[in-house]
Amino acid sequence: MTSSDTSLPVVAIVGRPNVGKSALFNRLTRRNSALVEDLPGTTRDRIYGTVEWRGRVLRVVDTGGLGDEATDPFGTLIREGVHHALTESQAVIFVVDGQTGPTGADYEIADMLRRASQPVLLCVNKADTGAGERNLVEFYALGLGEPLAVSALHGRGAGDLLDAVLEVVPEAPEEAPAEPERVRIAIVGRPNVGKSSLANAILGEKRAIVSDVPGTTRDAIDTPFEFEGHSMLLVDTAGIRRAGRIERGVERHSVQRAERAVDRADVVFVVIDQQELLVAQDTHIAGYAAQASKGIVILVNKWDLAEDRATKPEAAQRVDARYKFIPWAPVIFTSALTGEGVQDALQLAVHIAEVRRRRVQTSELNRVLHRAMAEHGPPTIRHKKLKLYFATQPEVSPPTFVLFVNDPALVHFSYERYLENTLRAAFDFEGTAIRVIFRGRAEGGEEPA
Ligand code: GDP
């Protein structure tokens, strides 16, 4: 699953165990590989897949075994499973077993689904057998309208089911809904620098780091919180925890995990321990965050332990020297213990996330760049000089600028730096990486004068 999938409408497949949910899932998503076992109560993780039908694309989630009468007499798992499915889907396919007729668990699920705001399609599976046919009419008793007969194994009725799904799932809007964007923060750094202590300080002491929202990777857990009226998200809170008790051999895994957290963040808190300022630090993850064009704040933590707090300027200089590849990243002195600097860091994160969403007017952008090039002309390379035709900012978060030029090969590294710094200064892109892409005449498509 990639993040771009999240804009697709989601259809959840629910039903008690052994009715053929995963067979239907495989049929709809054309996955034949997964095992379809005839064992009741085989629980699995939730599985996501995509369906393309009549030019539309949907995401389908198989909710796995939702408890059964034998192991779950009070229907707790069923209720939880249905509840979860309802929170994340725009429509529900409720699968029942045509060979058995409706059971108690079916009625229980139907009760919940009748109260849901989403459309529900009642799907009678195993209709390939005569018994399935005969029982079809019994399922009207579930109060969910007309039952649709399918055979997940043989494919019968699958097309009609998908047609019915398309009818009830609204077309995805052109633009993503303007829901307030959360500021996503990842906390990274070496073991023991105070990441989980900082996470606790941010979330409030009373609040234990517990499962809140499943992240996009398996066992990643994000924690939402509010800060001064802003919606925030701490990315992979579980990972922050885990990295603390690092064991030999899992180091590599935790680096990869930190990278995945960075991938999903707007702003990365790179935490270092003020006691370690004099020793060589690992700057890999900060470099990774810069390359991924993220916002970055450097947190010099355990500042309460500093022997001489007047040494702040020297300490800042040392950090700057070490992190000179991200001169734009602000440095904050924090103490997870006393809370010092934590609020400042969060305010910066909010500000940086806003800056990253800023869209520069095209006219303004071109004026600034042309002036910068007039003031400080590009170097001549092989008797040729870089010429800028037109610049535009097609994307935000990260702010991305495309400069249409005569020949991208004429862009010297240091000149690229110069133009990038010009943009940063002119439009106040504090605390975030920006992307500057050069395109030649031929690739540009449009070619304004
Ligand atoms: P992590 O591995 O980066 O998550 O680090 P922890 O949050 O587990 O902290 C490692 C140790 O440093 C713990 O003993 C914390 O109590 C301590 N610690 C963390 N932050 C601070 C701080 O700001 N000041 C002081 N004095 N101790 C801290």
Side-chain angles (χ1 to χ4, degrees), residues 114-127:
R114 270 199 310 274
R115 279 178 266 134
S117 54
Q118 288 92 332
V120 176
L121 299 159
L122 175 60
C123 174
V124 179
N125 191 27
K126 309 188 189 176

Side-chain angles (χ1 to χ4, degrees), residues 180-183 185 201-203 224-233 269 339 341-352 354 357:
E181 290 215 35
R182 282 190 184 274
V183 178
I185 299 174
I202 286 169
L203 299 172
F225 65 102
E226 297 289 314
F227 172 71
E228 297 182 347
H230 300 278
S231 298
M232 319 278 284
L233 192 76
F269 284 177
V342 172
Q343 194 176 0
D344 296 343
L346 290 174
Q347 279 167 351
L348 261 175
V350 169
H351 175 69
I352 292 171
E354 273 166 15
R357 286 197 284 267

